[in-house]
């Protein structure tokens, strides 16, 4: 019996040392130490032994069991360690592999231009106001001194949704909305950027939808010189300190007097070229002193308050600033075009 036990011990230890994975090792444990295993089998036969031999065999069997158990545990730890090692090796990152470049986006040139203009006016104490793109006939026209059947409505071919609703043709309705909210008390100082829509055929300089930025200042003692000074700062900050402005008389139903502002042409320095069509000046925006009717309709007393307003197209400004020759570039989103406005080379 002693020999049988020693034999078994050798046999198991050999199997343990040859086990290559945890499952295999567990099979060995079950096979040799389990209830149906050979060691238990040997112990069952102890009844036949003499009382002197019995404790000797018993303690030998326990010793062997303990030894096997110990070896099994040690091997298990070893195999587990190996498994971890293997996993780590498999998962190791090859840092010599060249990285995949991350494609960075950048601001759209229009967003960039609008932000720049917004920042400039915020710096001058203006707030940014917004209004709906689906606008009522009242705000888009009537509140701006353009009653129904007014011929100047033809200047802005509109997309009507119903008799009373349309896609706004300009950002000027935000003027009326802002003044109404101010409930007849100044000062009001806002710029209103947003999208507008016109029934125009798209070409290099026209689009059926584009952006505008409206400006409005209403307070006591606001004069035309305030408008001129503001526009002068705007032109110099956006286009460069060397630019001159000039105001030409014009007509808008919501301002009186009305002007259009030109800036001196940078291309030719005022001599005349094809960018300025030989005039030395480039038209930038429309402006004027808020018409008393407009003030009154939105709840301001024109005897006490006066104001100026202006409206410009960021597309046109960006085109002049960056030398873009076709307005459609802004909307077709060709990445090669957009990339040129990234702060770093993409
Ligand atoms: N709303 C005008 C347009 O779309 C632009 C404009 C002109 C706005 C004069 C103004 C202004 O506020 O005073 O053609």
């Amino acid at each position: 019996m002693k020999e049988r036990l020693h034999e078994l011990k050798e046999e198991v230890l050999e199997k343990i040392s040859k086990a290559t994975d945890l499952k295999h090792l567990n099979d060995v444990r079950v096979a040799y130490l389990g209830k149906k295993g050979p060691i238990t089998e040997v112990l069952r036969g102890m009844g036949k032994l003499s009382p002197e031999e019995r404790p000797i065999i018993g303690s030998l069997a326990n010793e062997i069991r303990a030894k096997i158990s110990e070896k099994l545990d040690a091997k298990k730890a070893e195999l587990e360690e190996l498994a971890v090692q293997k996993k780590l090796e498999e998962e190791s990152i090859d840092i010599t592999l060249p990285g995949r470049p991350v494609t960075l986006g950048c601001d759209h040139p229009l967003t960039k231009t609008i932000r720049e203009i917004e920042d400039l006016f915020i710096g001058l104490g203006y707030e940014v106001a917004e209004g709906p793109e689906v606008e009522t006939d009242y705000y888009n026209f009537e509140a701006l001194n353009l009653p129904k059947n007014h011929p100047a409505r033809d200047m802005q071919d509109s997309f009507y949704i119903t008799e009373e609703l349309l896609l706004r043709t300009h950002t000027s309705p935000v003027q009326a909305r802002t003044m109404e909210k101010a409930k007849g008390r100044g000062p009001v100082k806002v710029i209103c950027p947003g999208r507008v829509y016109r029934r125009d055929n798209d070409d290099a300089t026209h689009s059926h939808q584009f952006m505008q930025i409206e400006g409005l200042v209403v307070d006591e003692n606001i004069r035309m010189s305030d408008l001129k000074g503001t526009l002068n700062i705007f032109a110099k900050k956006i286009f460069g300190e060397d630019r001159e402005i000039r105001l030409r008389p014009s007509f808008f139903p919501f301002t009186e007097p009305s002007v259009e502002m030109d800036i001196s042409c940078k291309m030719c320095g005022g001599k005349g070229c094809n960018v300025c069509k030989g005039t030395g000046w480039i038209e930038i925006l429309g402006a004027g002193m808020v018409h008393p009717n407009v003030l009154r309709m939105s709840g301001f007393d024109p005897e006490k308050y006066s104001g100026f307003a202006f409206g410009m197209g960021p597309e046109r400004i960006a085109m002049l600033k960056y030398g873009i020759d076709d307005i459609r570039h802004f909307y077709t989103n060709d990445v090669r075009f957009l990339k040129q406005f990234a702060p770093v080379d993409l």
Side-chain angles (χ1 to χ4, degrees):
M1 226 169 209
K2 241 189 200 166
E3 264 146 46
R4 177 74 187 125
L5 280 173
H6 279 294
E7 249 173 56
L8 278 172
K9 180 184 164 195
E10 294 309 314
E11 204 178 300
V12 187
L13 292 186
E14 163 124 14
K15 288 209 166 145
I16 292 173
S17 71
K18 283 193 179 145
T20 50
D21 60 52
L22 288 165
K23 181 176 176 320
H24 193 177
L25 191 70
N26 199 42
D27 290 346
V28 174
R29 181 189 293 272
V30 173
Y32 284 88
L33 296 188
K35 283 208 180 82
K36 288 182 187 141
I39 296 179
T40 321
E41 191 79 356
V42 171
L43 294 178
R44 274 212 196 98
M46 281 211 323
K48 293 186 197 121
L49 295 176
S50 65
E52 298 82 46
E53 268 179 318
R54 233 176 267 163
I56 298 169
I57 295 292
S59 73
L60 178 64
N62 281 340
E63 221 174 84
I64 287 176
R65 276 189 109 120
K67 185 83 191 159
I68 292 173
S69 217
E70 188 188 301
K71 287 280 179 198
L72 277 167
D73 287 347
K75 184 71 181 182
K76 186 170 176 230
E78 188 185 312
L79 286 176
E80 275 171 355
E81 171 72 21
L82 271 175
V84 170
Q85 286 287 335
K86 196 164 160 238
K87 206 163 175 221
L88 282 177
E89 261 160 42
E90 278 167 8
E91 285 175 3
S92 76
I93 296 165
D94 180 0
I95 52 164
T96 62
L97 211 64
R100 252 177 249 146
V102 179
T103 355
L104 277 182
C106 63
D107 284 338
H108 189 280
L110 266 184
T111 307
K112 217 172 128 156
T113 307
I114 293 169
R115 291 230 179 105
E116 198 179 329
I117 297 169
E118 276 177 3
D119 286 351
L120 165 63
F121 281 102
I122 289 168
L124 295 173
Y126 287 62
E127 282 176 33
V128 178
E130 285 183 346
E133 288 176 27
V134 175
E135 189 51 285
T136 59
D137 185 275
Y138 175 78
Y139 286 115
N140 196 77
F141 291 126
E142 284 197 41
L144 297 169
N145 204 27
L146 273 148
K148 290 220 159 66
N149 303 322
H150 192 290
R153 284 193 178 205
D154 290 349
M155 281 162 72
Q156 305 186 350
D157 270 336
S158 321
F159 287 113
Y160 271 90
I161 296 165
T162 67
E163 284 271 302
E164 289 303 321
L165 276 184
L166 71 157
L167 296 180
R168 67 177 175 192
T169 55
H170 50 178
T171 42
S172 305
V174 190
Q175 285 189 23
R177 287 179 173 274
T178 308
M179 279 190 274
E180 269 187 8
K181 274 196 209 123
K183 300 209 176 333
R185 292 188 48 191
V188 171
K189 259 179 116 176
V190 286
I191 51 159
C192 327
R195 208 176 296 280
V196 302
Y197 303 82
R198 297 219 186 148
R199 265 195 307 118
D200 259 335
N201 289 325
D202 294 359
D203 62 24
T205 52
H206 294 86
S207 169
H208 61 283
Q209 60 134 81
F210 53 101
M211 304 292 292
Q212 276 194 342
I213 300 180
E214 190 79 13
L216 173 71
V217 173
V218 179
D219 204 352
E220 290 173 34
N221 298 318
I222 296 293
R223 288 174 297 222
M224 190 104 184
S225 53
D226 296 315
L227 170 64
K228 192 169 180 187
T230 305
L231 294 180
N232 197 32
I233 290 175
F234 160 77
K236 290 194 153 64
K237 287 278 178 275
I238 298 297
F239 293 102
E241 292 294 329
D242 54 343
R243 296 302 190 96
E244 298 296 323
I245 65 163
R246 95 177 166 182
L247 301 182
R248 275 181 293 111
S250 184
F251 170 78
F252 298 103
F254 27 90
T255 43
E256 183 57 39
S258 302
V259 293
E260 270 169 300
M261 180 184 91
D262 300 337
I263 55 162
S264 55
C265 180
K266 192 165 139 186
M267 294 295 166
C268 60
K271 280 193 227 72
C273 65
N274 57 2
V275 174
C276 58
K277 300 191 186 97
T279 64
W281 295 94
I282 303 168
E283 187 190 317
I284 293 290
L285 51 77
M289 301 308 289
V290 182
H291 197 291
N293 288 350
V294 173
L295 289 171
R296 200 177 299 114
M297 273 187 281
S298 292
F300 275 80
D301 177 3
E303 297 298 325
K304 188 170 171 211
Y305 285 101
S306 53
F308 67 73
F310 54 86
M312 63 179 105
E315 278 91 343
R316 184 166 168 72
I317 288 165
M319 285 168 86
L320 290 168
K321 209 168 141 75
Y322 300 114
I324 299 165
D325 59 1
D326 194 319
I327 196 170
R328 290 168 292 197
H329 285 311
F330 291 119
Y331 315 120
T332 42
N333 285 332
D334 183 331
V335 177
R336 291 167 303 176
F337 168 73
L338 298 175
K339 261 183 178 176
Q340 300 175 84
F341 301 91
V344 288
D345 268 356
L346 294 184

